[in-house]
Amino acid sequence: VANAAQRAKRELLSLGPKAGEKMSVEKQKVIALKKMANEVQIDHETAKRTLKEFSQRMIQNIKTREDELLSHLSTKRSALNRTINGKIEQTEDKLKMVKQTKEFAEKIQKNWSEVEILNVRKQIVDRLQEFSDSRTESVDNIYISPIRFAPSGEDALIQSIWSFKNRHLLKV
């Protein structure tokens, strides 16, 4: 028994340094793995921040372009309104002149003497004839180009956005 115990002690004693070496290796491995975990966390935070910054720049670019397009739409609307208002003013002026000439002709017929009527007849008749003969543009013939926004390239943009996950993330 004493011999067997001695051999067991020597065997245990000889394995001690090997176990110590193994412990040292395992401790170094734990330290390296913890360092890797920390680096993964730092990389994640950096990638997340970079992605958010990129997204914000893209959103800002879209908003800037939206503002430009909205301004363009407003400019187009203003130009169309000027055109329409000009046609309204022109039509109202013509309507006013026709009405005044017609009222004047009616007033002459009722209140003026025959000699006075004969004196202005040619002017009034010419004026009324001019209005009657003038070409009146139908509202149906007035074309105002519509204001529209018809996006194009949306599918390509969306596809490009979704491809970021494949092209820009490093594979593990």
Side-chain angles (χ1 to χ4, degrees):
V1 174
N3 268 345
Q6 276 300 10
R7 279 193 310 266
K9 282 184 179 180
R10 280 193 302 269
E11 186 180 11
L12 290 175
L13 197 56
S14 71
L15 291 176
K18 290 180 184 176
E21 290 173 15
K22 187 68 171 175
M23 280 179 41
S24 177
V25 168
E26 292 301 318
K27 283 180 183 179
Q28 292 302 316
K29 187 175 171 183
V30 166
I31 291 169
L33 288 170
K34 285 183 178 182
K35 183 178 176 186
M36 285 175 147
N38 189 42
E39 287 172 1
V40 166
Q41 184 63 29
I42 290 169
D43 288 350
H44 171 263
E45 293 300 322
T46 301
K48 186 171 137 181
R49 184 176 55 254
T50 302
L51 175 61
K52 286 185 175 280
E53 289 168 356
F54 172 78
S55 296
Q56 287 304 314
R57 282 193 313 275
M58 293 300 102
I59 290 167
Q60 187 56 48
N61 284 327
I62 289 170
K63 286 181 185 264
T64 298
R65 186 62 180 141
E66 176 189 33
D67 290 344
E68 290 170 358
L69 291 172
L70 288 172
S71 176
H72 180 71
L73 286 174
S74 293
T75 300
K76 184 167 175 85
R77 182 198 61 208
S78 295
L80 290 173
N81 280 337
R82 280 192 301 278
T83 299
I84 292 169
N85 289 337
K87 289 192 178 286
I88 289 170
E89 188 176 319
Q90 192 178 36
T91 304
E92 286 176 339
D93 288 348
K94 187 174 183 178
L95 177 63
K96 183 179 175 184
M97 287 190 304
V98 171
K99 182 180 176 188
Q100 288 174 342
T101 303
K102 183 180 178 277
E103 288 172 351
F104 186 63
E106 289 170 356
K107 183 178 172 185
I108 289 172
Q109 291 172 15
K110 292 180 185 174
N111 301 326
W112 287 24
S113 69
E114 292 172 348
V115 173
E116 291 173 319
I117 291 173
L118 289 173
N119 284 337
V120 293
R121 181 193 76 70
K122 179 157 176 37
Q123 292 170 324
I124 300 299
V125 168
D126 287 350
R127 185 76 165 194
L128 287 173
Q129 191 65 45
E130 180 185 323
F131 290 138
S132 295
D133 292 345
S134 69
R135 185 174 157 260
T136 300
E137 186 177 26
S138 167
V139 172
D140 295 336
N141 293 336
I142 299 172
Y143 177 76
I144 300 294
S145 62
I147 298 176
R148 301 273 190 269
F149 174 70
S152 63
E154 184 177 0
D155 289 341
L157 180 60
I158 290 170
Q159 185 178 6
S160 179
I161 288 170
W162 281 105
S163 74
F164 289 146
K165 69 179 179 185
N166 297 328
R167 290 187 298 166
H168 299 288
L169 291 181
L170 297 176
K171 294 183 180 180
V172 180

